[in-house]
């Protein structure tokens, strides 16, 4: 069977829960083969290929990409979903806090894309999806200031990757949700789940951008469940 007839392969970081797990379920239902990047692969079981991914380990992304291509022989999409949240203002945060959140939310996705780049380019229609945030488009409160700094950078990264890959058919989209009904957000938010976007809603958007032709690419998608000025 030729590569063109083979099911497409997607790498999803942070696929063990929340948004990442919802994206994995949606892609699996559409016949995608999955390479899931998680800290503890054994906890995911054997339904899909899982590999250790630790965003604070600068060797992790290359090892995961190499294992993915050894298993499947191709990479068609990278979904950079893993991230960490901070509730510190930029004044409260120390240098270690800044370094950690930029490492996980910005530098690790960049390393992952770099490592997968030749394979994405080879397909002629490679896709990169960066799960950013509406916090990458505005700073809503002092307590989310450091997080916003990292997500502004993640959004900028998505646009930079979009330009870098355009001529070789790689299309990049940043998805920018407001509060999402995940364990991480529910632990710090006073909103009810009905006032938040569901992870499954974002998974539908990921499916949409993965299937769009090269001639109808979306650079970013702001998403919310409650009316917010401008979005």
């Amino acid at each position: 069977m030729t590569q063109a007839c083979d099911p497409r392969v997607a790498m999803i970081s942070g696929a063990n829960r929340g948004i990442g797990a919802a994206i994995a379920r949606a892609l699996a239902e559409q016949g995608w083969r999955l390479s899931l990047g998680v800290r503890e692969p054994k906890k995911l079981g054997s339904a899909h290929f899982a590999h250790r991914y630790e965003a604070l380990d600068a060797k992790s992304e290359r090892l995961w990409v190499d294992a993915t291509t050894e298993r499947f022989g191709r990479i068609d999409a990278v979904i950079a979903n893993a991230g960490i949240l901070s509730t510190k203002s930029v004044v409260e945060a120390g240098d270690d806090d800044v370094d950690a959140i930029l490492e996980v939310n910005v530098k690790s996705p960049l390393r992952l894309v770099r490592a997968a780049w030749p394979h994405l380019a080879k397909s002629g229609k490679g896709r990169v999806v960066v799960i950013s945030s509406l916090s990458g488009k505005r700073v809503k409160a002092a307590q989310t200031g450091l997080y916003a700094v990292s997500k502004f950078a993640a959004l900028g990264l998505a646009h930079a990757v979009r330009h870098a890959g355009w001529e070789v058919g790689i299309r990049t989209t940043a998805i920018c949700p407001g509060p999402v009904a995940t364990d991480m957000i529910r632990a710090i938010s006073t909103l009810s789940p009905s006032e938040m976007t569901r992870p499954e809603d974002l998974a539908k958007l990921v499916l949409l951008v993965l299937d769009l032709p090269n001639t109808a690419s979306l650079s970013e998608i702001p998403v919310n469940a409650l009316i917010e000025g401008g979005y």
Side-chain angles (χ1 to χ4, degrees), residues 1-226:
M1 184 177 292
T2 65
Q3 178 171 308
C5 296
D6 289 339
R8 289 176 293 175
V9 175
M11 300 180 69
I12 308 171
S13 67
N16 57 311
R17 62 176 184 166
I19 296 170
I23 293 170
R25 289 192 297 270
L27 266 62
E29 290 172 0
Q30 294 300 313
W32 284 75
R33 291 183 294 177
L34 304 180
S35 177
L36 308 181
V38 295
R39 286 178 174 172
E40 299 180 76
K42 292 181 180 179
K43 290 187 176 181
L44 281 187
S46 58
H48 302 290
F49 177 68
H51 193 271
R52 178 183 176 272
Y53 168 71
E54 172 50 72
L56 294 173
D57 177 358
K59 298 178 181 178
S60 177
E61 299 84 9
R62 169 60 64 182
L63 293 173
W64 179 23
V65 166
D66 289 347
T68 300
T69 54
E70 182 178 353
R71 175 67 175 263
F72 298 113
R74 62 189 287 175
I75 298 170
D76 300 278
V78 169
I79 295 133
N81 163 73
I84 58 174
L85 178 68
S86 173
T87 57
K88 293 182 179 181
S89 75
V90 291
V91 176
E92 296 167 335
D95 285 351
D96 288 346
D97 298 314
V98 175
D99 291 343
I101 201 166
L102 291 178
E103 190 74 24
V104 175
N105 292 359
V106 185
K107 293 177 68 176
S108 182
L110 175 55
R111 289 193 296 263
L112 179 57
V113 169
R114 283 174 175 164
W117 197 257
H119 309 286
L120 295 169
K122 184 178 180 181
S123 78
K125 50 182 179 179
R127 297 291 181 264
V128 176
V129 178
V130 175
I131 304 299
S132 182
S133 171
L134 284 183
S135 289
K137 300 181 72 64
R138 83 289 190 262
V139 180
K140 199 164 186 180
Q143 287 67 36
T144 58
L146 179 59
Y147 179 70
V149 167
S150 75
K151 288 302 185 177
F152 266 78
L155 181 57
L157 172 65
H159 282 280
V161 171
R162 176 180 172 84
H163 280 274
W166 193 265
E167 296 301 324
V168 292
I170 298 173
R171 299 293 181 260
T172 302
T173 302
I175 296 180
C176 304
V180 182
T182 63
D183 291 341
M184 183 172 71
I185 300 300
R186 283 196 292 259
I188 64 168
S189 178
T190 59
L191 295 174
S192 69
S194 65
E195 296 175 297
M196 300 184 192
T197 298
R198 299 180 305 157
E200 293 77 13
D201 301 332
L202 300 182
K204 292 176 182 177
L205 292 175
V206 171
L207 281 173
L208 170 67
V209 299
L210 293 181
D211 283 338
L212 286 174
N214 285 2
T215 51
S217 179
L218 293 171
S219 60
E220 59 182 67
I221 306 176
V223 184
N224 59 20
L226 298 174

